[in-house]
């Protein structure tokens, strides 16, 4: 599932390839991705507008259009958004595309079709995203901010990190990696984390996400490579049974709130 780093890379690539694209027509071969909005209304509202800027909040992509409208795109589990020079050669997973004035198209692909595309007046975006927590790469996200959020939560710290109402954009992979880097047991209750642990966790979240943004950006900018690549050296995620890179004990996998968590019982306390 695309998490903050991959979504950021998608935004950067789109800014590079079609920063001010004028959209002439819109196609929704899979109208369900617009629900509860009507794909016909959406197509009518988007055509004729130009991209003014491309923004991201957590895992949400915000494409601000001329005339004070904003396209709100969530990539779901398998979504991707990129510019193609000839839409006739689109893959079967094409769920929407936007014809642009110069003959190219911005294509939205999504094999599992769990992503969403909506349009809102730009002035309504804050209200639509009011449930989204703090942006972890924003300077306002400090160890003190993390401590204040963690102290309100009785959940295990892994579940706390996945809860988008607290911190936006962290998913299963980078939560596991940040906890490993901070040497914190994912089962610890958030409100009980000591100050030194919270400092380590804050530093680990920022470091893991920054590095992942850089490697995702490199991977997504390669010509002809659209996601799905293994680009980030994962230390613990998906390594069940393998020796820990830090202490050599076998990595363990547990299930927390229906999600798997890999961690090292030797060095995550
Ligand atoms: Zn270890």
């Amino acid at each position: 599932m695309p998490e903050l780093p991959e979504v950021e890379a998608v935004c950067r690539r789109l800014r590079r390839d079609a920063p001010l694209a004028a959209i002439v027509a819109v196609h929704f071969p899979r109208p369900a991705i617009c629900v509860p909005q009507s794909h016909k209304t959406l197509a009518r509202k988007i055509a004729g507008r130009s991209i003014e800027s491309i923004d991201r909040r957590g895992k949400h992509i915000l494409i601000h259009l001329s005339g004070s409208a904003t396209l709100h795109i969530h990539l779901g589990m398998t979504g991707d958004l990129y510019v193609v020079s000839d839409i006739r050669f689109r893959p079967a997973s094409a769920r929407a595309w936007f014809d642009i004035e110069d003959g190219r198209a911005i294509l939205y692909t999504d094999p599992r079709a769990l992503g969403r595309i909506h349009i809102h007046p730009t002035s309504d975006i804050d209200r639509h995203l009011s449930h989204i927590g703090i942006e972890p790469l924003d300077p306002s996200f400090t160890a003190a901010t993390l401590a204040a959020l963690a102290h309100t939560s009785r959940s295990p710290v892994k579940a706390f990190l996945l809860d988008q109402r607290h911190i936006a954009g962290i998913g299963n992979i980078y939560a596991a990696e940040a906890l490993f880097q901070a040497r914190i047991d994912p089962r610890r209750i958030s409100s009980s984390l000591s100050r030194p642990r919270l400092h380590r966790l804050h530093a680990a979240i920022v470091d893991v996400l920054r590095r992942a943004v850089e490697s995702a950006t490199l991977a997504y900018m390669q010509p002809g490579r659209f996601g799905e690549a293994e680009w980030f050296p994962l230390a613990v995620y998906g390594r069940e049974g393998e020796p820990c890179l830090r202490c050599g004990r076998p990595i363990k996998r547990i299930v927390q709130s229906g999600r798997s968590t890999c961690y090292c019982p030797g060095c995550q306390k």
Side-chain angles (χ1 to χ4, degrees):
M1 177 178 191
E3 300 183 25
L4 183 153
E6 293 79 25
V7 177
E8 175 64 23
V10 166
C11 290
R12 290 182 182 187
R13 188 177 56 196
L14 199 56
R15 270 183 222 124
R16 179 195 65 181
D17 294 342
L20 301 168
I23 299 168
V24 292
V26 188
H27 309 267
F28 287 108
R30 181 81 163 228
I33 64 165
C34 305
V35 168
Q37 295 186 335
S38 139
H39 70 288
K40 286 181 184 159
T41 309
L42 211 67
R44 198 177 61 240
K45 282 187 177 171
I46 298 167
R49 295 184 197 254
S50 300
I51 295 179
E52 291 191 335
S53 62
I54 298 159
D55 197 6
R56 175 190 59 74
R57 277 202 233 155
K59 303 178 200 171
H60 301 256
I61 297 172
L62 300 172
I63 301 180
H64 300 301
L65 303 173
S66 53
S68 304
T70 295
L71 267 181
H72 172 202
I73 300 179
H74 194 286
L75 301 175
M77 296 290 283
T78 54
D80 201 355
L81 187 69
Y82 51 93
V83 174
V84 291
S85 54
D86 190 339
I87 194 63
R88 289 176 301 168
F89 302 107
R90 64 188 176 274
S93 61
R95 307 301 182 197
W97 68 89
F98 308 85
D99 294 325
I100 53 187
E101 205 171 40
D102 61 10
R104 298 179 302 158
I106 299 169
L107 174 62
Y108 177 73
T109 59
D110 190 352
R112 290 183 63 183
L114 295 170
R116 287 289 176 265
I117 299 180
H118 296 136
I119 193 166
H120 299 294
T122 303
S123 55
D124 282 357
I125 288 295
D126 282 342
R127 188 170 56 80
H128 280 287
L129 296 181
S130 61
H131 59 293
I132 302 292
I134 192 163
E135 172 64 37
L137 293 182
D138 191 90
S140 62
F141 179 65
T142 61
T145 325
L146 175 64
L149 292 168
H151 284 148
T152 65
S153 170
R154 303 258 178 274
S155 306
V157 60
K158 166 77 183 321
F160 165 79
L161 291 178
L162 294 187
D163 188 335
Q164 302 297 302
R165 293 170 300 177
H166 301 305
I167 305 169
I170 301 176
N172 217 28
I173 295 177
Y174 298 113
E177 293 297 311
L179 287 166
F180 177 79
Q181 189 162 318
R183 301 170 186 246
I184 295 173
D185 187 319
R187 297 166 300 177
R188 274 194 178 267
I189 298 302
S190 308
S191 58
S192 74
L193 290 171
S194 66
R195 193 152 289 272
R197 280 177 199 280
L198 287 162
H199 271 267
R200 292 209 306 269
L201 182 57
H202 171 263
I205 291 170
V206 173
D207 179 66
V208 164
L209 290 177
R210 281 214 179 114
R211 287 189 294 117
V213 163
E214 291 318 310
S215 34
T217 301
L218 276 175
Y220 278 66
M221 294 293 191
Q222 305 263 348
R225 267 179 79 179
F226 303 110
E228 302 297 326
E230 280 299 325
W231 54 81
F232 188 72
L234 297 171
V236 69
Y237 180 87
R239 287 182 174 260
E240 183 188 6
E242 292 180 36
C244 169
L245 297 176
R246 199 160 45 203
C247 75
R249 291 257 314 253
I251 299 296
K252 204 172 157 185
R253 187 178 72 90
I254 54 172
V255 176
Q256 296 178 288
S257 327
R259 306 293 302 273
S260 22
T261 305
C262 287
Y263 77 106
C264 174
C267 60
Q268 287 180 255
K269 300 290 184 189

